[in-house]
């Protein structure tokens, strides 16, 4: 009896004689091992079958779940992709019947009843070639724009490099995701902080509880003047004393940040600057 016929007999025997065990088997390897134990297959034949099964398993992508999201990852864990997104709706209602005057003017239009699609973002993130991370997110309401798009060289946690469009390392309020802030909008003073800009950043965590980030970026993404627009800079460092001391019950954070920006806007009606 040649090997192929013997394998067919083995599988048939497994179905007839080991139905209960096959039903409970966790993988093809478990079934083959059981056949070897029953004497249906020799050890050499079992190793040969398992070798072919293992080689196929090593190249098959794996689906994982993390924080409620699905991640498609290569078998060697060097490449992955994950869909991301969010949708925020803002509903406003004002009872204008309390007033006798007419509110049908431009200044009062912002107080009208309204449902606004405040944020609708869709993107992908993951890693490639093991040491590189990436994220690309588009913002869809109104005219679709690129929200963030960057790539990290992240082989060493102590020193990483980021290139692209990303949040600048400055204030905690801006760095907190819009999914986690208390209100639909951030505070008014937050508009003074650099947000998502095109640039380059060096960052890392040399020690658990200690982080740093230094970036150089373009403050003005649209209208630029080659004479006067200069490179802008931002930096941030934080200390988490609880993590530094290994005390999980302690909440004691300290952070220091700053930025320097110099930009101008060139009016379309004249050659002057403001």
């Amino acid at each position: 009896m040649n090997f192929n016929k013997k394998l067919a007999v083995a599988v048939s025997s497994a179905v007839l004689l080991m139905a209960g065990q096959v039903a409970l088997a966790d993988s093809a390897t478990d079934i083959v091992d059981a056949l070897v134990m029953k004497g249906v297959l020799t050890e050499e034949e079992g190793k040969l079958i398992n070798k072919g099964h293992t080689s196929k398993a090593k190249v098959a992508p794996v689906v994982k779940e993390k924080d409620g999201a699905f991640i498609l990852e290569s078998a060697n864990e060097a490449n992955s992709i994950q869909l991301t997104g969010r949708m925020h709706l803002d509903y406003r209602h004002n009872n204008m019947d309390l007033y006798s005057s007419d509110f049908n003017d431009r200044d009062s239009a912002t107080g009208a009843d309204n449902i606004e699609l405040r944020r609708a973002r869709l993107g992908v993130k993951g890693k490639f070639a093991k040491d590189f991370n990436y994220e690309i997110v588009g913002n869809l309401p109104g005219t679709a724009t690129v929200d963030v798009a960057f790539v990290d060289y992240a082989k060493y946690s102590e020193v990483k490099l980021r290139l692209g469009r990303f949040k600048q390392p400055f204030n905690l309020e801006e760095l907190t995701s819009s999914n986690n802030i208390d209100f639909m909008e951030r505070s008014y003073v937050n508009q003074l902080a650099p947000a998502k800009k095109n640039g380059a950043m060096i960052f890392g965590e040399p020690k658990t509880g200690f982080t740093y980030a230094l970036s150089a970026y373009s403050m003005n993404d649209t209208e630029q003047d080659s004479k006067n627009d200069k490179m802008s800079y931002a930096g941030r460092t934080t200390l988490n004393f609880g993590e530094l001391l290994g005390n999980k019950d302690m909440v004691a954070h300290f952070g220091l940040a700053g930025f320097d920006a110099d930009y101008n806007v060139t009016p379309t009606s004249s050659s002057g600057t403001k």
Side-chain angles (χ1 to χ4, degrees), residues 104-136:
N104 296 321
D105 57 51
R106 182 174 180 178
D107 293 336
S108 64
T110 56
D113 296 348
N114 187 30
I115 298 179
E116 178 187 9
L117 185 59
R118 176 62 182 85
R119 299 180 182 92
R121 298 173 184 169
L122 182 65
V124 294
K125 67 177 182 179
K127 61 183 177 180
F128 64 92
K130 188 178 180 179
D131 298 326
F132 294 87
N133 299 329
Y134 67 89
E135 183 171 2
I136 303 174

Side-chain angles (χ1 to χ4, degrees), residues 46 48 81-82 89 108 115 131 156 174 192 209 242 255 259-260 262:
L48 182 60
I81 185 171
Q82 173 187 341
L89 297 174
S108 64
I115 298 179
D131 298 326
Y156 307 104
E174 179 64 34
L192 300 175
F259 77 96
D260 173 69
D262 187 1

Side-chain angles (χ1 to χ4, degrees), residues 1-237:
M1 182 182 295
N2 61 33
F3 177 72
N4 290 333
K5 291 182 178 179
K6 193 171 184 180
L7 179 59
V9 173
V11 174
S12 300
S13 300
V15 174
L16 295 174
L17 303 176
M18 302 170 55
Q21 294 183 33
V22 171
L24 297 175
D26 294 330
S27 66
T29 303
D30 295 332
I31 298 175
V32 173
D33 291 342
L35 292 174
V36 173
M37 293 180 62
K38 287 287 185 178
V40 180
L41 295 174
T42 66
E43 290 187 7
E44 290 75 13
E45 291 169 344
K47 290 179 180 179
L48 182 60
I49 297 173
N50 282 337
K51 182 179 179 180
H53 171 72
T54 304
S55 63
K56 291 181 180 179
K58 286 183 178 179
V59 298
V62 180
V63 178
K64 297 182 178 181
E65 183 179 356
K66 182 178 180 181
D67 299 328
F70 289 102
I71 303 172
L72 183 63
E73 188 175 66
S74 60
N76 61 3
E77 300 183 348
N79 306 282
S80 69
I81 185 171
Q82 173 187 341
L83 290 177
T84 66
R86 72 192 63 178
M87 182 179 293
H88 295 169
L89 297 174
D90 183 15
Y91 171 71
R92 298 189 295 269
H93 172 73
N94 294 286
N95 189 357
M96 295 301 184
D97 295 336
L98 296 176
Y99 306 95
S100 58
S101 58
D102 186 9
F103 285 90
N104 296 321
D105 57 51
R106 182 174 180 178
D107 293 336
S108 64
T110 56
D113 296 348
N114 187 30
I115 298 179
E116 178 187 9
L117 185 59
R118 176 62 182 85
R119 299 180 182 92
R121 298 173 184 169
L122 182 65
V124 294
K125 67 177 182 179
K127 61 183 177 180
F128 64 92
K130 188 178 180 179
D131 298 326
F132 294 87
N133 299 329
Y134 67 89
E135 183 171 2
I136 303 174
V137 179
N139 197 28
L140 304 182
T143 302
T145 58
V146 176
D147 188 57
V148 296
F150 61 82
V151 60
D152 295 343
Y153 178 64
K155 183 175 183 178
Y156 307 104
S157 61
E158 297 83 1
V159 182
K160 302 178 184 179
L161 174 64
R162 175 171 295 179
L163 300 173
R165 180 175 179 83
F166 53 89
K167 285 186 177 183
Q168 297 306 308
F170 182 58
N171 61 325
L172 179 61
E173 183 176 5
E174 179 64 34
L175 293 175
T176 302
S177 170
S178 58
N179 278 331
N180 300 322
I181 58 179
D182 295 327
F183 301 97
M184 181 69 70
E185 305 295 340
R186 292 180 170 86
S187 66
Y188 187 79
V189 72
N190 188 69
Q191 298 181 57
L192 300 175
K196 297 165 183 173
K197 304 293 182 182
N198 301 329
M201 178 171 68
I202 296 176
F203 65 107
E205 189 174 7
K207 182 178 177 61
T208 302
F210 169 58
T211 69
Y212 74 93
L214 298 170
S215 74
Y217 62 95
S218 174
M219 185 66 180
N220 196 350
D221 295 339
T222 53
E223 300 180 26
Q224 298 177 340
D225 185 301
S226 61
K227 284 187 176 182
N228 300 303
D229 277 358
K230 300 178 181 179
M231 186 67 71
S232 300
Y233 303 94
R236 173 182 172 85
T237 182

